[in-house]
Amino acid sequence: MGLFGIPPCPKKQCPQCWQHAYDGSIHRALKGKDCEPCLNHMVTKCNGFYRK
């Protein structure tokens, strides 16, 4: 396990997507509101990381 119990991000995976998927505190703090970094990130296609 990595920092704060989050598994380390595998190679060829987007670190931001990985952190937001495994660290529930990020979205829990928003209390049901949209996550602006995630919305922006979806539009920009993970800054060059493309999943198959």
Side-chain angles (χ1 to χ4, degrees):
M1 285 287 167
L3 190 62
F4 304 114
I6 301 169
C9 182
K11 291 181 180 179
K12 298 187 179 180
Q13 290 291 322
C14 173
Q16 181 177 333
C17 288
W18 190 263
Q19 183 179 13
H20 279 238
Y22 284 94
D23 185 355
S25 68
I26 294 170
H27 293 127
R28 196 170 24 255
L30 296 172
K31 298 180 181 178
K33 296 179 183 173
D34 288 335
C35 178
E36 291 295 326
C38 283
L39 292 173
N40 180 49
H41 202 63
M42 286 187 282
V43 172
T44 62
K45 306 278 188 206
C46 299
N47 297 319
F49 291 92
Y50 295 98
R51 285 176 247 119
K52 295 179 180 179

